[in-house]
Amino acid sequence: MLLADHGTWLFVPAAEWNCDVVGKLHALAIAALAIGLVRLRNEERRGHCAQTWQLGIRHLALGLAIVSSALLVWFPAQAAQPLNMAAVLQLASTSVALVFSYAHSRHSLFPSDVLLVYWLFSAIASAAQLRSYVKHSTDALDIRMLTAYVAYLGASLVAMRAEATPRPSEPYIHLADTDDDKRDPAEQANIFSRLIFAWATPAIDAGYHRKHLDLEHLYTMPQELTGDQTNIKFLAEWAHSKTQRSSSLLRIMWNGTWRDIIWSGVYLIVSVGSQLLQPLLLRKIITFFQVYGTVAGVSLDDGLVLAAAMGALGLVRAMAFQAHWLRLMLPFMWVVKVLSALIFRKVLRLSSESRSKHTVAEIVSYLSVDADRIALS
């Protein structure tokens, strides 16, 4: 709604604008799910699970979402209304999500970040569609359309909850001999748990209830940051660089850390963007209090949406900023591991005469202090 008297607008999107945005979001979701399917085929299988109640509830929610999406396409067509492309794309994305969910359950033991994000945005988009349908409907509400919107919203929330629920290890058929107790819990956590660091809660509880912590209470290093893995990856990159015309240590370091650096930049952009949007949203909240009760069409639910959006922006800003710093530290740790391994290999190859020129303290300083300084620079 555009409030010309006040020179601003409130978050009351029109039905056409809402359908256009929701349709584009579902088109992007189809592309993301398709890319996820391709990557899933290239990953190593970690295990699969027989039919459990969690898997059954998830597939039941997916079936309900597909049926409700099909009804949202069928009901307007039956009433000779224009085809709702947003509902068509929603039906297509939900069908692809069903295929992805089945493939993921046969492939991996852990929750899918792609499905969790998909169901979150599907629930938000469905809630926006439901609100727009109720608010902008000029005729009497069609109970069938209203039921289909509510069913899809409920199915999205149930599917997201079922996907995020930790899965028991007993019914799973492990395809690799792995020790779950020694695995880093962050590798098993879903995307929301990693963003709010919920996977670290057991360690915090252990530190609170125990007077002393032993080494067994601490989490292990992520597998990709262990000394042997980083060294193997670096040596493979170094051997490959020797076959090229020019070999550069800086290029090898970039090849090992570019993903974390780029993701750190993405999280920083999201954090800064959320920070810049908050004053704009605050202005709309102030405008809402100025015009509430005096301008037709401005209701209490508009203010509730604005307040929820302000809280969501603050939460996104905090999580993205913390994820930025965490991602930024991963390249530093990788470089330190590589440099320490190189220095250690060099020390092992020193002759007795060369080793006599360096004390043990100097060698330890090379392994720790100097490697940290080079990585920080």
Side-chain angles (χ1 to χ4, degrees):
M1 171 181 287
L2 183 65
L3 299 177
D5 296 338
H6 298 273
T8 185
W9 55 274
L10 295 175
F11 189 71
V12 188
E16 296 79 7
W17 180 90
N18 202 348
C19 289
D20 183 54
V21 172
V22 170
K24 291 178 179 179
L25 286 176
H26 281 290
L28 290 175
I30 293 173
L33 289 169
I35 294 174
L37 277 172
V38 174
R39 293 188 60 184
L40 197 63
R41 292 185 59 184
N42 297 329
E43 291 180 357
E44 180 184 0
R45 293 188 65 182
R46 304 290 296 273
H48 65 273
C49 178
Q51 186 70 24
T52 62
W53 67 270
Q54 292 174 334
L55 199 61
I57 290 178
R58 186 172 50 175
H59 290 167
L60 182 63
L62 276 164
L64 179 60
I66 291 177
V67 171
S68 58
S69 300
L71 292 177
L72 289 175
V73 177
W74 170 254
F75 289 149
Q78 192 179 24
Q81 296 179 0
L83 183 64
N84 189 351
M85 287 304 301
V88 174
L89 292 172
Q90 176 178 298
L91 175 60
S93 67
T94 309
S95 302
V96 178
L98 176 62
V99 176
F100 185 91
S101 176
Y102 177 78
H104 186 268
S105 64
R106 303 291 299 176
H107 182 92
S108 178
L109 301 174
F110 309 130
S112 170
D113 294 342
V114 176
L115 285 176
L116 284 173
V117 174
Y118 170 78
W119 288 122
L120 174 63
F121 281 97
S122 293
I124 295 174
S126 179
Q129 283 183 301
L130 177 60
R131 178 175 178 268
S132 178
Y133 176 73
V134 173
K135 194 173 185 63
H136 296 285
S137 180
T138 55
D139 302 328
L141 294 177
D142 188 350
I143 190 64
R144 302 178 303 171
M145 292 287 293
L146 188 63
T147 303
Y149 278 124
V150 173
Y152 186 83
L153 175 60
S156 300
L157 295 175
V158 171
M160 183 176 66
R161 184 68 181 90
E163 183 67 33
T165 303
R167 303 173 187 175
S169 58
E170 289 80 6
Y172 286 93
I173 304 172
H174 290 264
L175 301 182
D177 187 13
T178 57
D179 189 355
D180 291 340
D181 295 334
K182 298 296 183 62
R183 186 182 291 125
D184 179 27
E187 297 178 358
Q188 308 177 53
N190 58 63
I191 185 172
F192 302 131
S193 178
R194 293 197 302 270
L195 286 175
I196 64 176
F197 299 96
W199 56 269
T201 302
I204 298 174
D205 290 339
Y208 178 78
H209 294 291
R210 295 175 179 269
K211 294 182 179 180
H212 303 285
L213 290 179
D214 300 328
L215 185 61
E216 62 182 10
H217 297 126
L218 300 179
Y219 293 148
T220 58
M221 182 72 67
Q223 187 175 5
E224 65 272 10
L225 291 178
T226 56
D228 54 347
Q229 292 295 327
T230 55
N231 191 30
I232 292 173
K233 184 177 181 180
F234 173 80
L235 292 178
E237 291 286 346
W238 183 259
H240 177 70
S241 67
K242 289 182 178 180
T243 62
Q244 307 297 323
R245 292 183 178 180
S246 61
S247 58
S248 172
L249 180 61
L250 183 61
R251 182 182 301 174
I252 296 175
M253 294 295 182
W254 169 255
N255 290 338
T257 59
W258 67 271
R259 291 183 180 86
D260 293 322
I261 294 175
I262 291 178
W263 273 111
S264 176
V266 171
Y267 285 128
L268 182 61
I269 292 173
V270 172
S271 178
V272 174
S274 302
Q275 186 177 2
L276 294 177
L277 286 176
Q278 281 183 319
L280 301 178
L281 198 56
L282 180 60
R283 180 188 176 190
K284 302 183 188 306
I285 293 177
I286 296 175
T287 304
F288 169 79
F289 283 107
Q290 292 175 348
V291 302
Y292 178 65
T294 60
V295 177
V298 179
S299 57
L300 181 60
D301 65 302
D302 300 329
L304 295 177
V305 170
L306 289 171
M310 177 63 82
L313 278 179
L315 183 62
V316 168
R317 175 191 171 189
M319 292 191 301
F321 187 73
Q322 296 299 326
H324 156 70
W325 278 108
L326 178 62
R327 279 284 187 172
L328 197 60
M329 291 303 296
L330 294 180
F332 165 76
M333 296 175 64
W334 192 86
V335 173
V336 169
K337 291 282 187 179
V338 168
L339 293 177
S340 299
L342 291 177
I343 296 172
F344 185 73
R345 285 169 57 89
K346 184 65 176 179
V347 170
L348 293 178
R349 296 180 179 183
L350 287 177
S351 63
S352 300
E353 182 181 357
S354 300
R355 191 174 301 177
S356 62
K357 298 178 181 179
H358 302 277
T359 63
V360 177
E362 289 177 342
I363 296 176
V364 173
S365 177
Y366 296 151
L367 288 171
S368 58
V369 180
D370 292 352
D372 289 351
R373 287 178 179 177
I374 294 175
L376 287 174
S377 62

